[in-house]
């Protein structure tokens, strides 16, 4: 007979995730699938040419249909679900490659120190928080996993500073270099949503503080409930996004 509560470890959303690090593969696959869909539903010759920064760049119409966020989608179109969908959309092949590399490098650290459930919550809430903050600062349209990834940076910075010691200081120093590099890159390259990056980091650090890390608090039922809510919410939003994309393709 299964143990009580085992549904949180064995269900239609987590089954086959391949252990704690398997969730990173699931997020990666979801991002790739949404990127392919965004290119296919409005394929333009211009997407196959141009600079490396624009190669395989989805159209603005495609991204809007699938769930880009910002002041216009949120405040004028009342598409609040885009606070989640925008984290799974990207503006070019280079854009998604950079973000997925960062996720692959940062994710294992957050999973090791916070656990899978808290990592999922931090990632999802940071994307939402980062894009809410960027909307408050007037960013009209925005996409990308970078706000959520920056949330992992914020959680890692909080962990390193809070834990201290040789290991904590090393984490804080290394991840601090990442944060500084992101902001320098953001100010040098036009079109980067620095408000989203900063908002994601702040949300991630706050989530890390509120949820706690494994050295200070064990995984508990509340973490599992929050994680499942994030998973279910993301699945529903992405299904709705795909449905919108199919209708756009058929129109």
């Amino acid at each position: 007979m299964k143990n009580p509560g085992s549904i949180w470890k064995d269900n239609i959303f987590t089954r086959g995730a391949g252990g704690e690090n398997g969730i990173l593969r699931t997020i990666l696959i979801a991002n790739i699938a949404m990127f392919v869909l965004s290119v296919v539903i409005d394929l333009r010759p211009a997407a196959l040419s141009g600079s490396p920064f624009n190669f395989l760049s989805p159209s603005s119409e495609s991204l809007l249909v699938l769930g880009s966020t910002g002041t216009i989608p949120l405040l004028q179109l009342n598409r609040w679900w885009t606070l989640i969908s925008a984290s799974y959309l990207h503006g070019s092949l280079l854009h998604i490659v950079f973000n997925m590399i960062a996720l692959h490098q940062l994710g294992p650290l957050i999973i090791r120190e916070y656990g899978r459930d808290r990592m999922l919550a931090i990632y999802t809430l940071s994307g939402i928080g980062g894009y809410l903050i960027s909307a408050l600062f007037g960013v009209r349209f925005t996409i990308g996993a970078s706000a959520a990834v920056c949330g992992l940076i914020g959680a890692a910075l909080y962990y390193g500073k809070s834990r201290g010691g040789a290991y904590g200081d090393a984490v804080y120093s290394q991840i601090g270099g990442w944060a500084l590099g992101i902001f320098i890159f953001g100010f040098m390259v036009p079109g980067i949503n620095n408000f989203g990056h900063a908002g994601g980091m702040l949300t991630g650090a706050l989530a890390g503080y509120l949820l706690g890390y494994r050295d200070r608090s064990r995984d508990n039922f509340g973490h599992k409930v929050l994680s499942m809510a994030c998973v279910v919410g993301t699945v529903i939003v992405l299904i709705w996004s795909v449905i919108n994309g199919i209708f756009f393709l058929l129109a």
Side-chain angles (χ1 to χ4, degrees):
M1 182 175 179
K2 291 186 177 180
N3 295 326
S6 63
I7 188 174
W8 300 104
K9 296 181 180 180
D10 182 22
N11 55 71
I12 61 173
F13 299 108
T14 61
R15 190 178 297 121
E20 288 193 331
N21 288 308
I23 192 61
L24 298 178
R25 183 168 62 250
T26 302
I27 295 173
L28 173 67
I29 292 172
N31 273 274
I32 293 174
M34 292 302 295
F35 176 70
V36 171
L37 179 61
S38 69
V39 174
V40 168
I41 67 172
D42 191 20
L43 186 61
R44 302 161 300 133
L48 302 176
S49 60
S51 70
F53 290 99
N54 297 320
F55 183 67
L56 289 182
S57 178
S59 70
S60 298
E61 292 80 4
S62 169
L63 294 173
L64 179 61
V65 166
L66 292 176
S68 59
T69 196
T71 57
I72 293 179
L74 293 175
L75 303 180
Q76 296 185 23
L77 303 177
N78 292 316
R79 293 158 61 95
W80 292 93
W81 55 273
T82 63
L83 289 171
I84 293 178
S85 59
S87 290
Y88 291 84
L89 300 173
H90 291 84
S92 69
L93 179 62
L94 204 57
H95 189 197
I96 188 173
V97 167
F98 280 159
N99 279 336
M100 293 304 99
I101 289 175
L103 173 65
H104 178 72
Q105 294 182 343
L106 288 164
L109 170 66
I110 303 303
I111 290 175
R112 182 170 66 247
E113 306 306 342
Y114 286 89
R116 183 183 69 178
D117 294 323
R118 280 176 276 190
M119 179 270 174
L120 268 170
I122 291 168
Y123 185 84
T124 304
L125 296 175
S126 296
I128 295 172
Y131 285 136
L132 268 177
I133 290 173
S134 71
L136 291 175
F137 281 92
V139 177
R140 300 176 67 193
F141 289 104
T142 185
I143 52 170
S146 53
V149 170
C150 282
L152 302 185
I153 292 177
L157 288 174
Y158 166 72
Y159 167 79
K161 191 67 174 178
S162 175
R163 185 184 188 279
Y167 177 64
D169 290 345
V171 169
Y172 185 79
S173 177
Q174 181 175 356
I175 302 301
W178 274 62
L180 180 61
I182 285 174
F183 283 116
I184 291 175
F185 181 78
F187 284 110
M188 291 178 61
V189 179
I192 301 296
N193 185 359
N194 291 302
F195 293 117
H197 290 174
M201 283 190 199
L202 289 174
T203 304
L206 178 61
Y209 167 73
L210 293 175
L211 295 174
Y213 48 87
R214 280 176 163 174
D215 286 350
R216 291 195 170 179
S217 65
R218 300 176 61 182
D219 295 327
N220 59 49
F221 184 73
H223 297 148
K224 295 182 184 299
V225 171
L226 179 59
S227 171
M228 184 56 61
C230 289
V231 171
V232 172
T234 299
V235 169
I236 291 173
V237 164
L238 292 184
I239 289 175
W240 178 247
S241 176
V242 170
I243 291 172
N244 282 337
I246 292 174
F247 276 115
F248 179 79
L249 183 63
L250 296 177

